[in-house]
Amino acid sequence: MAPRDTIHLCLVLCLSQKLWAQEGYFPIPIISATPGSVIPWNESVKILCWGTPESYLYQLEILRNLTFEVVEKKLGFQEKAEFLISHMNTNTAGRYQCQYRKEYKLSEHSKTLELVVTGLYNKPSLSAVQGMVVMLGENISLQCSSTDIPFDRFSLTKEGGATLSQHQSGVHQGNFILGPVNHNFSGNYRCYGWYSGSPYVWSAPSDALGLVVTDIMNQDYTMENLIRMGVAGLVLVALLAIVIGNWHSHKVPNKEDWPDFPELSRSQHKCQTGPLDKALRDTRALRGKAYCKPGNKKTLPS
Protein backbone atom coordinates (compact mmCIF):
# COMPACT_ATOMS: atom_id res chain seq x y z
CA MET A 1 0.00 0.00 0.00
CA ALA A 2 1.33 3.36 -1.01
CA PRO A 3 2.12 5.90 1.76
CA ARG A 4 -0.55 8.27 0.45
CA ASP A 5 -3.19 5.53 0.65
CA THR A 6 -2.10 4.73 4.20
CA ILE A 7 -2.50 8.35 5.25
CA HIS A 8 -5.96 8.56 3.66
CA LEU A 9 -7.05 5.38 5.41
CA CYS A 10 -5.89 6.70 8.81
CA LEU A 11 -7.77 9.94 8.28
CA VAL A 12 -10.96 8.10 7.35
CA LEU A 13 -10.71 5.81 10.38
CA CYS A 14 -10.04 8.71 12.79
CA LEU A 15 -12.92 10.72 11.36
CA SER A 16 -15.27 7.76 11.57
CA GLN A 17 -14.35 7.10 15.18
CA LYS A 18 -14.98 10.75 16.00
CA LEU A 19 -18.39 10.72 14.33
CA TRP A 20 -19.32 7.49 16.07
CA ALA A 21 -18.25 8.95 19.42
CA GLN A 22 -20.35 12.05 18.83
CA GLU A 23 -23.37 10.00 17.85
CA GLY A 24 -23.03 7.84 20.94
CA TYR A 25 -22.45 10.75 23.31
CA PHE A 26 -25.46 11.04 25.64
CA PRO A 27 -24.69 13.28 28.61
CA ILE A 28 -26.99 13.00 31.58
CA PRO A 29 -29.64 15.76 31.36
CA ILE A 30 -29.74 18.49 34.00
CA ILE A 31 -33.03 19.51 35.57
CA SER A 32 -33.69 22.74 37.50
CA ALA A 33 -36.57 25.00 38.56
CA THR A 34 -36.94 28.75 38.42
CA PRO A 35 -37.50 30.85 40.51
CA GLY A 36 -36.88 27.92 42.89
CA SER A 37 -38.12 24.58 44.14
CA VAL A 38 -40.18 25.94 47.07
CA ILE A 39 -43.26 27.54 45.51
CA PRO A 40 -46.21 29.26 47.23
CA TRP A 41 -49.68 27.91 46.64
CA ASN A 42 -51.18 28.79 43.23
CA GLU A 43 -47.93 30.41 41.99
CA SER A 44 -46.17 29.37 38.78
CA VAL A 45 -42.84 27.62 38.29
CA LYS A 46 -40.74 26.80 35.24
CA ILE A 47 -38.85 23.49 34.97
CA LEU A 48 -35.78 23.42 32.70
CA CYS A 49 -34.27 20.27 31.19
CA TRP A 50 -30.82 20.61 29.59
CA GLY A 51 -29.63 18.14 26.97
CA THR A 52 -27.64 18.53 23.73
CA PRO A 53 -28.25 20.66 20.61
CA GLU A 54 -28.94 17.46 18.64
CA SER A 55 -31.77 16.43 20.97
CA TYR A 56 -35.16 16.61 19.31
CA LEU A 57 -37.44 15.28 22.07
CA TYR A 58 -37.64 16.12 25.79
CA GLN A 59 -40.05 14.64 28.29
CA LEU A 60 -40.88 15.54 31.87
CA GLU A 61 -41.94 12.88 34.38
CA ILE A 62 -43.39 12.95 37.89
CA LEU A 63 -43.30 10.20 40.50
CA ARG A 64 -46.73 8.82 41.37
CA ASN A 65 -47.39 5.55 43.17
CA LEU A 66 -43.71 4.61 43.09
CA THR A 67 -43.62 4.98 39.29
CA PHE A 68 -42.57 7.90 37.12
CA GLU A 69 -45.27 9.02 34.71
CA VAL A 70 -44.79 11.27 31.69
CA VAL A 71 -46.30 14.70 32.32
CA GLU A 72 -45.40 16.52 29.10
CA LYS A 73 -43.25 16.22 25.96
CA LYS A 74 -41.46 18.88 23.91
CA LEU A 75 -40.50 18.37 20.25
CA GLY A 76 -37.84 20.26 18.29
CA PHE A 77 -34.06 20.38 18.04
CA GLN A 78 -32.94 22.37 21.07
CA GLU A 79 -30.36 22.27 23.81
CA LYS A 80 -32.92 22.75 26.57
CA ALA A 81 -36.67 22.45 27.02
CA GLU A 82 -38.95 24.50 29.28
CA PHE A 83 -41.97 23.08 31.07
CA LEU A 84 -44.35 25.51 32.74
CA ILE A 85 -46.53 24.72 35.74
CA SER A 86 -49.01 27.59 35.88
CA HIS A 87 -50.59 26.87 39.28
CA MET A 88 -48.71 25.08 41.99
CA ASN A 89 -50.89 22.84 44.18
CA THR A 90 -50.86 19.48 45.91
CA ASN A 91 -51.21 17.62 42.60
CA THR A 92 -48.24 19.34 40.93
CA ALA A 93 -45.96 19.12 43.98
CA GLY A 94 -43.64 16.13 44.07
CA ARG A 95 -40.53 14.56 42.52
CA TYR A 96 -39.67 15.27 38.89
CA GLN A 97 -37.10 14.00 36.42
CA CYS A 98 -36.49 14.47 32.70
CA GLN A 99 -34.75 12.84 29.73
CA TYR A 100 -34.20 13.54 26.04
CA ARG A 101 -34.12 11.58 22.78
CA LYS A 102 -31.23 11.86 20.37
CA GLU A 103 -31.10 9.90 17.11
CA TYR A 104 -32.95 6.70 17.95
CA LYS A 105 -32.09 6.46 21.65
CA LEU A 106 -33.28 7.97 24.93
CA SER A 107 -30.77 9.40 27.38
CA GLU A 108 -30.52 8.48 31.02
CA HIS A 109 -32.84 10.17 33.47
CA SER A 110 -31.74 13.35 35.19
CA LYS A 111 -31.36 13.64 38.92
CA THR A 112 -34.58 14.08 40.85
CA LEU A 113 -36.02 17.57 41.36
CA GLU A 114 -38.32 18.00 44.37
CA LEU A 115 -40.99 20.69 44.04
CA VAL A 116 -42.66 21.82 47.27
CA VAL A 117 -45.87 23.80 47.58
CA THR A 118 -46.24 26.05 50.64
CA GLY A 119 -49.08 27.89 52.36
CA LEU A 120 -51.52 25.11 53.20
CA TYR A 121 -51.09 25.51 56.99
CA ASN A 122 -50.54 28.42 59.34
CA LYS A 123 -46.97 29.64 59.68
CA PRO A 124 -44.75 28.49 62.58
CA SER A 125 -42.41 30.75 64.54
CA LEU A 126 -38.61 30.83 64.28
CA SER A 127 -36.30 31.98 67.08
CA ALA A 128 -32.59 31.89 67.99
CA VAL A 129 -31.64 30.54 71.41
CA GLN A 130 -28.44 32.61 71.80
CA GLY A 131 -29.77 35.66 69.98
CA MET A 132 -29.52 36.77 66.38
CA VAL A 133 -25.83 37.87 66.61
CA VAL A 134 -23.28 35.06 66.74
CA MET A 135 -19.51 35.20 66.85
CA LEU A 136 -17.42 33.82 64.02
CA GLY A 137 -16.63 30.12 64.47
CA GLU A 138 -19.35 29.39 67.02
CA ASN A 139 -22.50 27.30 66.73
CA ILE A 140 -26.03 28.67 66.89
CA SER A 141 -29.29 26.89 67.65
CA LEU A 142 -32.52 27.86 65.87
CA GLN A 143 -35.95 26.68 66.99
CA CYS A 144 -39.00 26.30 64.73
CA SER A 145 -42.21 25.75 66.67
CA SER A 146 -45.95 25.61 66.13
CA THR A 147 -48.33 25.67 69.09
CA ASP A 148 -51.61 25.02 67.29
CA ILE A 149 -50.62 22.45 64.62
CA PRO A 150 -48.85 19.20 65.60
CA PHE A 151 -46.29 19.04 62.79
CA ASP A 152 -43.91 16.09 62.96
CA ARG A 153 -41.41 17.54 60.49
CA PHE A 154 -39.77 20.97 60.14
CA SER A 155 -37.55 22.50 57.46
CA LEU A 156 -35.18 25.45 57.60
CA THR A 157 -34.24 27.49 54.53
CA LYS A 158 -31.94 30.46 53.92
CA GLU A 159 -33.00 33.20 51.52
CA GLY A 160 -30.72 34.00 48.61
CA GLY A 161 -28.26 31.22 49.40
CA ALA A 162 -27.39 27.67 48.46
CA THR A 163 -28.13 26.27 51.92
CA LEU A 164 -30.34 23.22 51.61
CA SER A 165 -33.37 22.65 53.75
CA GLN A 166 -32.68 20.75 56.93
CA HIS A 167 -35.34 18.35 58.15
CA GLN A 168 -35.90 17.85 61.86
CA SER A 169 -38.36 15.55 63.57
CA GLY A 170 -40.16 16.71 66.67
CA VAL A 171 -43.47 17.31 68.37
CA HIS A 172 -44.57 20.92 67.74
CA GLN A 173 -40.90 21.98 67.55
CA GLY A 174 -37.79 21.47 65.46
CA ASN A 175 -34.25 22.33 66.56
CA PHE A 176 -31.55 23.29 64.06
CA ILE A 177 -27.88 23.67 64.98
CA LEU A 178 -25.76 25.66 62.55
CA GLY A 179 -22.02 25.92 62.72
CA PRO A 180 -19.22 26.48 63.09
CA VAL A 181 -20.50 29.60 61.35
CA ASN A 182 -18.68 31.94 58.99
CA HIS A 183 -19.77 35.15 57.27
CA ASN A 184 -21.68 33.14 54.64
CA PHE A 185 -24.17 32.15 57.35
CA SER A 186 -25.37 35.75 57.71
CA GLY A 187 -28.78 36.34 56.17
CA ASN A 188 -32.50 35.77 56.56
CA TYR A 189 -33.84 32.38 57.58
CA ARG A 190 -37.37 30.94 57.48
CA CYS A 191 -38.81 27.66 58.62
CA TYR A 192 -41.76 25.49 57.63
CA GLY A 193 -43.83 22.77 59.26
CA TRP A 194 -45.16 19.69 57.49
CA TYR A 195 -46.26 16.10 57.97
CA SER A 196 -44.14 13.08 57.12
CA GLY A 197 -47.05 11.61 55.15
CA SER A 198 -47.06 14.65 52.78
CA PRO A 199 -43.42 15.67 52.40
CA TYR A 200 -44.07 18.12 49.53
CA VAL A 201 -46.90 20.07 51.15
CA TRP A 202 -45.56 22.61 53.64
CA SER A 203 -47.00 25.32 55.84
CA ALA A 204 -46.72 29.02 55.16
CA PRO A 205 -43.21 30.33 55.86
CA SER A 206 -42.36 31.77 59.26
CA ASP A 207 -41.38 35.40 59.65
CA ALA A 208 -37.81 36.00 58.54
CA LEU A 209 -35.11 35.76 61.19
CA GLY A 210 -32.03 37.85 60.43
CA LEU A 211 -28.81 36.17 61.52
CA VAL A 212 -25.61 38.24 61.82
CA VAL A 213 -22.17 36.64 62.05
CA THR A 214 -19.59 39.05 63.45
CA ASP A 215 -15.96 39.12 64.54
CA ILE A 216 -15.82 40.72 68.01
CA MET A 217 -12.03 41.01 68.00
CA ASN A 218 -12.02 43.07 64.83
CA GLN A 219 -14.74 45.29 66.26
CA ASP A 220 -12.67 45.82 69.44
CA TYR A 221 -9.62 46.83 67.41
CA THR A 222 -11.70 49.23 65.36
CA MET A 223 -13.13 50.85 68.49
CA GLU A 224 -9.67 51.19 70.04
CA ASN A 225 -8.37 52.87 66.89
CA LEU A 226 -11.30 55.30 66.89
CA ILE A 227 -10.69 56.18 70.55
CA ARG A 228 -6.99 56.76 69.91
CA MET A 229 -7.72 58.98 66.93
CA GLY A 230 -10.24 60.97 68.98
CA VAL A 231 -7.76 61.53 71.84
CA ALA A 232 -5.03 62.56 69.39
CA GLY A 233 -7.43 65.03 67.80
CA LEU A 234 -8.30 66.58 71.17
CA VAL A 235 -4.62 66.93 72.09
CA LEU A 236 -3.90 68.59 68.74
CA VAL A 237 -6.75 71.08 69.23
CA ALA A 238 -5.52 71.94 72.75
CA LEU A 239 -1.95 72.55 71.55
CA LEU A 240 -3.23 74.71 68.72
CA ALA A 241 -5.29 76.79 71.16
CA ILE A 242 -2.22 77.31 73.40
CA VAL A 243 -0.07 78.43 70.46
CA ILE A 244 -2.70 80.89 69.24
CA GLY A 245 -3.13 82.30 72.76
CA ASN A 246 0.63 82.80 73.14
CA TRP A 247 0.92 84.53 69.79
CA HIS A 248 -2.01 86.85 70.54
CA SER A 249 -0.65 87.87 73.96
CA HIS A 250 2.72 88.92 72.46
CA LYS A 251 1.21 90.84 69.59
CA VAL A 252 -1.45 92.84 71.52
CA PRO A 253 -0.49 93.79 75.13
CA ASN A 254 -3.09 93.90 77.81
CA LYS A 255 -4.74 97.25 78.57
CA GLU A 256 -3.36 97.13 82.12
CA ASP A 257 0.20 97.09 80.73
CA TRP A 258 -0.24 100.23 78.58
CA PRO A 259 1.78 103.33 79.77
CA ASP A 260 -0.21 106.20 81.26
CA PHE A 261 -0.55 109.02 78.76
CA PRO A 262 -2.46 112.23 79.59
CA GLU A 263 -5.68 112.47 77.71
CA LEU A 264 -6.05 115.64 75.68
CA SER A 265 -9.29 117.46 75.92
CA ARG A 266 -10.79 119.31 72.99
CA SER A 267 -9.31 122.56 74.26
CA GLN A 268 -5.90 120.93 74.66
CA HIS A 269 -6.00 119.95 71.04
CA LYS A 270 -5.76 123.64 70.29
CA CYS A 271 -2.42 125.44 70.32
CA GLN A 272 -1.25 126.45 73.80
CA THR A 273 0.83 129.58 74.39
CA GLY A 274 4.26 129.39 75.94
CA PRO A 275 7.74 130.89 75.70
CA LEU A 276 8.36 129.30 72.38
CA ASP A 277 5.07 130.57 71.08
CA LYS A 278 5.87 134.10 72.25
CA ALA A 279 9.23 134.05 70.52
CA LEU A 280 7.65 132.83 67.37
CA ARG A 281 5.02 135.52 67.46
CA ASP A 282 7.71 138.13 67.78
CA THR A 283 9.15 136.98 64.52
CA ARG A 284 5.90 136.90 62.60
CA ALA A 285 6.34 140.43 61.41
CA LEU A 286 9.61 139.38 59.95
CA ARG A 287 8.26 136.21 58.49
CA GLY A 288 4.94 137.69 57.41
CA LYS A 289 2.93 134.65 58.65
CA ALA A 290 1.38 133.81 61.97
CA TYR A 291 2.60 130.65 63.53
CA CYS A 292 -0.13 130.07 66.04
CA LYS A 293 -3.05 131.74 67.68
CA PRO A 294 -5.06 130.42 70.57
CA GLY A 295 -7.84 128.31 69.14
CA ASN A 296 -6.16 127.75 65.74
CA LYS A 297 -4.24 124.76 64.50
CA LYS A 298 -0.44 125.00 64.24
CA THR A 299 0.99 126.20 60.94
CA LEU A 300 4.54 125.32 60.25
CA PRO A 301 6.72 128.21 59.14
CA SER A 302 7.66 128.11 55.50
mmCIF file of all heavy atoms in Angstrom, residues 264-290:
data_model
loop_
_atom_site.group_PDB
_atom_site.id
_atom_site.type_symbol
_atom_site.label_atom_id
_atom_site.label_comp_id
_atom_site.label_asym_id
_atom_site.label_seq_id
_atom_site.Cartn_x
_atom_site.Cartn_y
_atom_site.Cartn_z
ATOM 1 N N LEU A 264 -5.894 114.252 76.133
ATOM 2 C CA LEU A 264 -6.048 115.637 75.678
ATOM 3 C C LEU A 264 -7.510 115.933 75.469
ATOM 4 O O LEU A 264 -8.208 115.193 74.765
ATOM 5 C CB LEU A 264 -5.269 115.843 74.374
ATOM 6 C CG LEU A 264 -3.745 115.643 74.447
ATOM 7 C CD1 LEU A 264 -3.124 115.805 73.075
ATOM 8 C CD2 LEU A 264 -3.131 116.592 75.446
ATOM 9 N N SER A 265 -7.921 117.020 76.130
ATOM 10 C CA SER A 265 -9.290 117.459 75.920
ATOM 11 C C SER A 265 -9.367 118.216 74.608
ATOM 12 O O SER A 265 -8.366 118.442 73.953
ATOM 13 C CB SER A 265 -9.745 118.363 77.080
ATOM 14 O OG SER A 265 -8.934 119.512 77.128
ATOM 15 N N ARG A 266 -10.611 118.589 74.250
ATOM 16 C CA ARG A 266 -10.791 119.306 72.995
ATOM 17 C C ARG A 266 -10.034 120.618 73.016
ATOM 18 O O ARG A 266 -9.454 121.028 72.021
ATOM 19 C CB ARG A 266 -12.278 119.543 72.746
ATOM 20 C CG ARG A 266 -12.553 120.258 71.432
ATOM 21 C CD ARG A 266 -14.033 120.362 71.172
ATOM 22 N NE ARG A 266 -14.586 119.041 71.029
ATOM 23 C CZ ARG A 266 -15.895 118.809 70.810
ATOM 24 N NH1 ARG A 266 -16.736 119.842 70.743
ATOM 25 N NH2 ARG A 266 -16.344 117.586 70.692
ATOM 26 N N SER A 267 -10.017 121.281 74.164
ATOM 27 C CA SER A 267 -9.307 122.563 74.260
ATOM 28 C C SER A 267 -7.806 122.363 74.182
ATOM 29 O O SER A 267 -7.069 123.196 73.693
ATOM 30 C CB SER A 267 -9.671 123.292 75.569
ATOM 31 O OG SER A 267 -9.305 122.462 76.661
ATOM 32 N N GLN A 268 -7.332 121.173 74.690
ATOM 33 C CA GLN A 268 -5.899 120.928 74.659
ATOM 34 C C GLN A 268 -5.423 120.590 73.267
ATOM 35 O O GLN A 268 -4.249 120.614 72.991
ATOM 36 C CB GLN A 268 -5.534 119.819 75.637
ATOM 37 C CG GLN A 268 -5.677 120.250 77.088
ATOM 38 C CD GLN A 268 -5.463 119.077 78.026
ATOM 39 O OE1 GLN A 268 -5.862 117.973 77.740
ATOM 40 N NE2 GLN A 268 -4.814 119.365 79.158
ATOM 41 N N HIS A 269 -6.389 120.221 72.424
ATOM 42 C CA HIS A 269 -6.003 119.954 71.040
ATOM 43 C C HIS A 269 -5.650 121.250 70.328
ATOM 44 O O HIS A 269 -5.012 121.246 69.301
ATOM 45 C CB HIS A 269 -7.129 119.230 70.300
ATOM 46 C CG HIS A 269 -7.177 117.763 70.626
ATOM 47 N ND1 HIS A 269 -6.227 116.897 70.172
ATOM 48 C CD2 HIS A 269 -8.047 117.078 71.387
ATOM 49 C CE1 HIS A 269 -6.519 115.681 70.624
ATOM 50 N NE2 HIS A 269 -7.622 115.784 71.383
ATOM 51 N N LYS A 270 -6.092 122.357 70.887
ATOM 52 C CA LYS A 270 -5.763 123.637 70.294
ATOM 53 C C LYS A 270 -4.346 124.051 70.698
ATOM 54 O O LYS A 270 -3.774 123.529 71.647
ATOM 55 C CB LYS A 270 -6.745 124.701 70.759
ATOM 56 C CG LYS A 270 -8.185 124.351 70.380
ATOM 57 C CD LYS A 270 -9.127 125.389 70.909
ATOM 58 C CE LYS A 270 -10.566 125.030 70.559
ATOM 59 N NZ LYS A 270 -11.526 126.016 71.070
ATOM 60 N N CYS A 271 -3.784 124.988 70.014
ATOM 61 C CA CYS A 271 -2.422 125.440 70.324
ATOM 62 C C CYS A 271 -2.387 126.143 71.667
ATOM 63 O O CYS A 271 -3.271 126.935 71.991
ATOM 64 C CB CYS A 271 -1.925 126.401 69.237
ATOM 65 S SG CYS A 271 -1.707 125.550 67.659
ATOM 66 N N GLN A 272 -1.405 125.809 72.494
ATOM 67 C CA GLN A 272 -1.246 126.449 73.797
ATOM 68 C C GLN A 272 -0.062 127.425 73.710
ATOM 69 O O GLN A 272 0.946 127.147 73.077
ATOM 70 C CB GLN A 272 -0.993 125.383 74.882
ATOM 71 C CG GLN A 272 -2.159 124.408 75.034
ATOM 72 C CD GLN A 272 -1.866 123.376 76.096
ATOM 73 O OE1 GLN A 272 -0.791 123.387 76.669
ATOM 74 N NE2 GLN A 272 -2.847 122.533 76.344
ATOM 75 N N THR A 273 -0.224 128.556 74.413
ATOM 76 C CA THR A 273 0.830 129.577 74.395
ATOM 77 C C THR A 273 1.918 129.254 75.373
ATOM 78 O O THR A 273 1.662 128.650 76.427
ATOM 79 C CB THR A 273 0.239 130.954 74.756
ATOM 80 O OG1 THR A 273 -0.339 130.855 76.049
ATOM 81 C CG2 THR A 273 -0.822 131.367 73.763
ATOM 82 N N GLY A 274 3.124 129.621 75.072
ATOM 83 C CA GLY A 274 4.264 129.393 75.940
ATOM 84 C C GLY A 274 5.428 130.253 75.487
ATOM 85 O O GLY A 274 5.296 131.072 74.575
ATOM 86 N N PRO A 275 6.593 130.099 76.089
ATOM 87 C CA PRO A 275 7.743 130.893 75.696
ATOM 88 C C PRO A 275 8.092 130.726 74.238
ATOM 89 O O PRO A 275 8.414 131.682 73.552
ATOM 90 C CB PRO A 275 8.854 130.365 76.610
ATOM 91 C CG PRO A 275 8.136 129.754 77.776
ATOM 92 C CD PRO A 275 6.866 129.236 77.247
ATOM 93 N N LEU A 276 8.019 129.513 73.782
ATOM 94 C CA LEU A 276 8.360 129.299 72.377
ATOM 95 C C LEU A 276 7.358 129.979 71.481
ATOM 96 O O LEU A 276 7.701 130.578 70.468
ATOM 97 C CB LEU A 276 8.429 127.797 72.085
ATOM 98 C CG LEU A 276 8.785 127.423 70.641
ATOM 99 C CD1 LEU A 276 10.143 128.003 70.256
ATOM 100 C CD2 LEU A 276 8.771 125.914 70.483
ATOM 101 N N ASP A 277 6.095 129.919 71.883
ATOM 102 C CA ASP A 277 5.066 130.570 71.078
ATOM 103 C C ASP A 277 5.267 132.088 71.048
ATOM 104 O O ASP A 277 5.044 132.739 70.019
ATOM 105 C CB ASP A 277 3.680 130.240 71.628
ATOM 106 C CG ASP A 277 3.400 128.762 71.543
ATOM 107 O OD1 ASP A 277 3.793 128.131 70.522
ATOM 108 O OD2 ASP A 277 2.812 128.189 72.479
ATOM 109 N N LYS A 278 5.654 132.651 72.181
ATOM 110 C CA LYS A 278 5.866 134.097 72.253
ATOM 111 C C LYS A 278 7.004 134.528 71.354
ATOM 112 O O LYS A 278 6.928 135.523 70.652
ATOM 113 C CB LYS A 278 6.150 134.499 73.698
ATOM 114 C CG LYS A 278 6.269 136.007 73.886
ATOM 115 C CD LYS A 278 6.497 136.329 75.347
ATOM 116 C CE LYS A 278 6.629 137.853 75.547
ATOM 117 N NZ LYS A 278 6.902 138.214 76.972
ATOM 118 N N ALA A 279 8.071 133.712 71.360
ATOM 119 C CA ALA A 279 9.225 134.050 70.518
ATOM 120 C C ALA A 279 8.866 133.965 69.054
ATOM 121 O O ALA A 279 9.287 134.758 68.232
ATOM 122 C CB ALA A 279 10.395 133.125 70.846
ATOM 123 N N LEU A 280 8.034 132.986 68.763
ATOM 124 C CA LEU A 280 7.645 132.830 67.369
ATOM 125 C C LEU A 280 6.732 133.965 66.918
ATOM 126 O O LEU A 280 6.804 134.418 65.782
ATOM 127 C CB LEU A 280 6.943 131.487 67.168
ATOM 128 C CG LEU A 280 7.849 130.246 67.276
ATOM 129 C CD1 LEU A 280 7.033 128.979 67.200
ATOM 130 C CD2 LEU A 280 8.931 130.254 66.200
ATOM 131 N N ARG A 281 5.900 134.421 67.841
ATOM 132 C CA ARG A 281 5.022 135.516 67.465
ATOM 133 C C ARG A 281 5.824 136.808 67.224
ATOM 134 O O ARG A 281 5.442 137.640 66.409
ATOM 135 C CB ARG A 281 3.989 135.754 68.585
ATOM 136 C CG ARG A 281 2.829 134.748 68.549
ATOM 137 C CD ARG A 281 1.680 135.251 69.390
ATOM 138 N NE ARG A 281 2.075 135.570 70.750
ATOM 139 C CZ ARG A 281 2.081 134.696 71.739
ATOM 140 N NH1 ARG A 281 1.724 133.451 71.484
ATOM 141 N NH2 ARG A 281 2.438 135.073 72.954
ATOM 142 N N ASP A 282 6.906 136.923 67.954
ATOM 143 C CA ASP A 282 7.714 138.131 67.779
ATOM 144 C C ASP A 282 8.335 138.174 66.393
ATOM 145 O O ASP A 282 8.721 139.238 65.901
ATOM 146 C CB ASP A 282 8.832 138.192 68.850
ATOM 147 C CG ASP A 282 8.226 138.419 70.230
ATOM 148 O OD1 ASP A 282 7.067 138.916 70.282
ATOM 149 O OD2 ASP A 282 8.888 138.068 71.225
ATOM 150 N N THR A 283 8.482 136.992 65.834
ATOM 151 C CA THR A 283 9.151 136.975 64.522
ATOM 152 C C THR A 283 8.155 136.953 63.370
ATOM 153 O O THR A 283 8.557 136.864 62.217
ATOM 154 C CB THR A 283 10.054 135.731 64.408
ATOM 155 O OG1 THR A 283 9.220 134.571 64.532
ATOM 156 C CG2 THR A 283 11.141 135.733 65.448
ATOM 157 N N ARG A 284 6.864 137.032 63.706
ATOM 158 C CA ARG A 284 5.903 136.896 62.601
ATOM 159 C C ARG A 284 5.909 138.108 61.696
ATOM 160 O O ARG A 284 5.569 137.995 60.519
ATOM 161 C CB ARG A 284 4.515 136.664 63.152
ATOM 162 C CG ARG A 284 3.978 137.829 63.961
ATOM 163 C CD ARG A 284 2.673 137.452 64.581
ATOM 164 N NE ARG A 284 2.208 138.509 65.445
ATOM 165 C CZ ARG A 284 1.068 138.428 66.127
ATOM 166 N NH1 ARG A 284 0.333 137.325 66.015
ATOM 167 N NH2 ARG A 284 0.681 139.401 66.915
ATOM 168 N N ALA A 285 6.260 139.246 62.286
ATOM 169 C CA ALA A 285 6.335 140.431 61.414
ATOM 170 C C ALA A 285 7.434 140.257 60.392
ATOM 171 O O ALA A 285 7.328 140.716 59.266
ATOM 172 C CB ALA A 285 6.567 141.692 62.267
ATOM 173 N N LEU A 286 8.517 139.593 60.867
ATOM 174 C CA LEU A 286 9.614 139.375 59.948
ATOM 175 C C LEU A 286 9.276 138.289 58.925
ATOM 176 O O LEU A 286 9.693 138.362 57.781
ATOM 177 C CB LEU A 286 10.892 138.982 60.720
ATOM 178 C CG LEU A 286 11.409 140.042 61.720
ATOM 179 C CD1 LEU A 286 12.607 139.496 62.486
ATOM 180 C CD2 LEU A 286 11.821 141.330 60.964
ATOM 181 N N ARG A 287 8.565 137.338 59.396
ATOM 182 C CA ARG A 287 8.264 136.208 58.487
ATOM 183 C C ARG A 287 7.036 136.478 57.634
ATOM 184 O O ARG A 287 6.866 135.907 56.594
ATOM 185 C CB ARG A 287 8.018 134.937 59.289
ATOM 186 C CG ARG A 287 9.117 134.579 60.272
ATOM 187 C CD ARG A 287 10.326 134.049 59.573
ATOM 188 N NE ARG A 287 10.018 132.788 58.916
ATOM 189 C CZ ARG A 287 10.943 131.926 58.536
ATOM 190 N NH1 ARG A 287 12.211 132.213 58.737
ATOM 191 N NH2 ARG A 287 10.609 130.826 57.941
ATOM 192 N N GLY A 288 6.147 137.350 58.152
ATOM 193 C CA GLY A 288 4.935 137.687 57.407
ATOM 194 C C GLY A 288 3.826 136.668 57.558
ATOM 195 O O GLY A 288 2.803 136.765 56.892
ATOM 196 N N LYS A 289 3.967 135.669 58.432
ATOM 197 C CA LYS A 289 2.930 134.648 58.653
ATOM 198 C C LYS A 289 2.812 134.382 60.135
ATOM 199 O O LYS A 289 3.788 134.372 60.850
ATOM 200 C CB LYS A 289 3.272 133.356 57.949
ATOM 201 C CG LYS A 289 3.239 133.479 56.420
ATOM 202 C CD LYS A 289 3.530 132.160 55.788
ATOM 203 C CE LYS A 289 3.518 132.273 54.276
ATOM 204 N NZ LYS A 289 3.824 130.986 53.629
ATOM 205 N N ALA A 290 1.620 134.157 60.569
ATOM 206 C CA ALA A 290 1.375 133.814 61.972
ATOM 207 C C ALA A 290 1.628 132.332 62.165
ATOM 208 O O ALA A 290 1.193 131.513 61.366
ATOM 209 C CB ALA A 290 -0.062 134.177 62.360
#
